[in-house]
Amino acid sequence: AYGASVTFIPLEPQGSQSSVIARGACGNGLTWALSNEYVLTISGKGEIVAIASGTWKNYDDRVKQIVIENGVTKIGVNAFYQFSALEKVTMANTVTEIERYSFAGCVALTYVEIPASVEILWWDAFRGCTHLEQVDIRNLRMKFDMRAFRDCNNLKQVNVAEAEQKPAQTTKTPVGTEWNLVPVIVVSVVIFVAGLTVAAIIWLRKK
């Protein structure tokens, strides 16, 4: 009974193991890495420069997801132009500007969330994203117009709202305080007018 042999079989790791199949630089202080699951990740600090052939453009028909990590401040012209398989974009809350044609022609993209850090969204940034249906903009003061979504024929919603993580009262004047100056202003105006009246009467008497 004790002579039976035991064979140890190594357990396979849970889930798929992704590995990097390509990498490179995309600006001063920025690098990119592409996994075998076609997730493109941008890391470092700085601006993504205008991208030419020979970088990740060789994979523009295979990249399914883009992850822009903390530290990236700007997405340059044509950065992800015509990434025809792109389905998801995640942008860190350090990006302040999205340039023209950054995501133009990404026909598989259906949803985009633009973080509260973005201050400028240039026209044609998402031009020709023909399956884009919803855009959530987290910065009420972001400069943009609908030309950013030119030829997005299926776009149904562009929602502009403050980021959920921002407490309602931290950046706004507390309720009621904006009215505290009103009585002061009214009294000041009354005193000013009364002063002018008295001055006019004195001047007329001297006449």
Side-chain angles (χ1 to χ4, degrees):
Y2 295 100
S5 62
V6 177
T7 303
F8 291 95
I9 301 174
L11 294 175
E12 294 184 0
Q14 296 294 320
S16 59
Q17 292 287 312
S18 62
S19 58
V20 174
I21 61 174
R23 65 173 75 244
C26 53
N28 292 330
L30 292 181
T31 59
W32 62 273
L34 181 66
S35 76
N36 60 347
E37 296 175 338
Y38 293 104
V39 177
L40 178 63
T41 303
I42 317 296
S43 307
K45 293 183 179 180
E47 302 178 359
I48 300 175
V49 298
I51 302 301
S53 59
T55 54
W56 58 58
K57 292 296 289 181
N58 298 331
Y59 305 93
D60 59 6
D61 60 344
R62 284 170 280 178
V63 173
K64 296 180 179 179
Q65 181 179 351
I66 293 173
V67 178
I68 299 173
E69 295 187 340
N70 277 314
V72 179
T73 57
K74 179 179 177 180
I75 303 174
V77 176
N78 294 331
F80 308 109
Y81 179 69
Q82 289 187 339
F83 271 45
S84 57
L86 182 63
E87 298 174 352
K88 183 179 180 181
V89 177
T90 303
M91 285 180 262
N93 208 36
T94 54
V95 176
T96 60
E97 187 173 353
I98 302 174
E99 271 278 14
R100 296 184 67 187
Y101 301 104
S102 293
F103 297 95
C106 296
V107 294
L109 197 60
T110 59
Y111 170 77
V112 172
E113 179 176 346
I114 300 175
S117 57
V118 176
E119 299 171 355
I120 303 174
L121 175 64
W122 286 88
W123 58 85
D124 294 328
F126 291 90
R127 182 171 186 168
C129 295
T130 52
H131 286 84
L132 186 62
E133 295 182 359
Q134 181 176 334
V135 177
D136 287 342
I137 297 171
R138 300 302 183 190
N139 183 0
L140 284 170
R141 299 167 186 82
M142 187 184 76
K143 297 177 181 178
F144 83 105
D145 63 36
M146 290 306 294
R147 289 178 295 177
F149 308 105
R150 203 194 315 253
D151 300 329
C152 295
N153 300 327
N154 284 307
L155 186 59
K156 299 178 177 66
Q157 295 182 54
V158 176
N159 303 316
V160 182
E162 291 281 16
E164 294 178 358
Q165 67 269 23
K166 185 182 291 185
Q169 295 296 327
T170 55
T171 58
K172 296 180 180 179
T173 307
V175 176
T177 58
E178 64 270 33
W179 300 107
N180 289 344
L181 291 177
V182 172
V184 176
I185 294 171
V186 171
V187 170
S188 299
V189 170
V190 170
I191 292 173
F192 179 75
V193 172
L196 287 178
T197 304
V198 171
I201 293 172
I202 294 172
W203 183 78
L204 288 171
R205 286 182 176 177
K206 288 181 177 180
K207 291 290 240 177

